[in-house]
Every structure is written in structure tokens, then in C-alpha cells.
Amino acid sequence: MAREDGPGPELRRNLVYLLKHAHFRMAELTARALTPYGIEGRELGVLLTLAGGEPMSQQQAAQRLGIDRTTMVALLDALEGKGLVSRHPDVEDRRRNVVELTDSGQDTLRRATEATDEAERAFLASLSPQAAQDLRDSLRTVVTQPDQGPATRRPR
């Protein structure tokens, strides 16, 4: 009896299955790429967010990343312990902590981004350049658009 590798036809059509396993594969490639820099994917997300312009508060960074305050504090504690970020009171509002990348954080971000870009290229290697761009564009649209329609309504 011939054995077919991979999921059966039912799962190959199931978007949840496909997204989940694509995420697992990309997360594995990213984790390997980040290991030499001593950071994890979520920490890279924080570094990328903080590098986006003006210094921001812990709360602003958490909101931008869509994570709760407690998780953000834990991530910043870890990054601060690694010497990649610094926190200090805002000069205009001393109740607010401003978070910024250190020089080491900027260097780590640059090198880690290069490594994860290479991991993304490896992940997308089986696609044409246009198909890879279409995938990115489609996912960006799905992720950034507000939920609409009856499927998003919760039963009462």
C-alpha cells in the first residue's frame, strides 16, 4: 500500500491547519536564527517596536505589540538584563517610563534582523518572488483589517 507523506486532502484544504504549521515552521527557523544573538522572537518584536522612532513608554510599546502590561514588563526586564534596552522616567511625566534601545540593543537588532530576514527567505524559497510577496500582502491585509461579518460575532 502506497503511503502519502504529509496531511491528507482534508487537512491540506484546512486554513487553520495550514497557518498553524506554517507558523511552527517559521518559528523554528526564526528561533534558530536568533540563538546566536541571545534573544527570542518576542524579544525581537519588542526591539523592532522600540526602534520605530521616538522613544516610547512601556505602555505604548505593549499596546503596539498587542500584549498585556505584565508580559511587557517581563520582556523588558529580560532585555534590560541583557543590556539591550534602558528604561528611565520621562522628563515630562515622571510617572511614565520611557524605553530605548541601547547601543548594544541597536547592534543586536541589526544583526538579528539580518538573520531573521535570511530565515524568511529560506521559508519562502519554494515560492516565486511574486508569490512570496502576494503571501505577505495577503497576510498583512488579513491581520490589519478589522473583523467584519457574522463569523466574528460571539454567540450570546
Side-chain angles (χ1 to χ4, degrees):
M1 185 160 99
R3 181 180 166 272
E4 187 177 318
D5 286 341
E10 302 80 12
L11 287 177
R12 286 194 301 257
R13 289 190 306 267
N14 183 281
L15 185 58
V16 171
Y17 175 87
L18 295 170
L19 288 171
K20 175 179 142 184
H21 285 273
H23 168 76
F24 286 160
R25 186 174 298 157
M26 187 68 235
E28 182 181 315
L29 291 168
T30 300
R32 272 192 258 147
L34 292 176
T35 296
Y37 308 103
I39 62 173
E40 299 173 351
R42 288 172 39 151
E43 293 171 328
L44 177 62
V46 173
L47 296 178
L48 286 165
T49 298
L50 295 175
E54 294 293 316
M56 66 178 67
S57 71
Q58 293 176 187
Q59 183 177 7
Q60 288 170 313
Q63 288 172 343
R64 187 162 292 167
L65 287 164
I67 59 176
D68 64 78
R69 202 174 89 200
T70 303
T71 301
M72 187 67 190
V73 169
L75 286 166
L76 289 174
D77 286 347
L79 290 168
E80 193 171 36
K82 295 173 185 181
L84 303 178
V85 301
S86 65
R87 291 182 272 196
H88 54 86
D90 187 329
V91 293
E92 295 176 14
D93 182 355
R94 308 230 5 117
R95 297 169 296 174
R96 181 181 125 156
N97 275 331
V98 173
V99 187
E100 297 180 282
L101 295 179
T102 62
D103 289 343
S104 178
Q106 290 174 3
D107 182 58
T108 297
L109 174 60
R110 181 187 53 75
R111 294 183 300 131
T113 300
E114 289 171 3
T116 58
D117 287 351
E118 182 57 38
E120 287 180 15
R121 281 190 288 280
F123 177 75
L124 297 170
S126 63
L127 300 177
S128 71
Q130 185 60 54
Q133 187 59 50
D134 290 347
L135 176 61
R136 281 181 197 279
D137 293 345
S138 295
L139 289 172
R140 185 179 306 108
T141 299
V142 170
V143 168
T144 60
Q145 294 302 307
D147 292 336
Q148 299 176 8
T152 62
R153 293 189 193 119
R154 293 194 174 134
R156 294 181 204 201

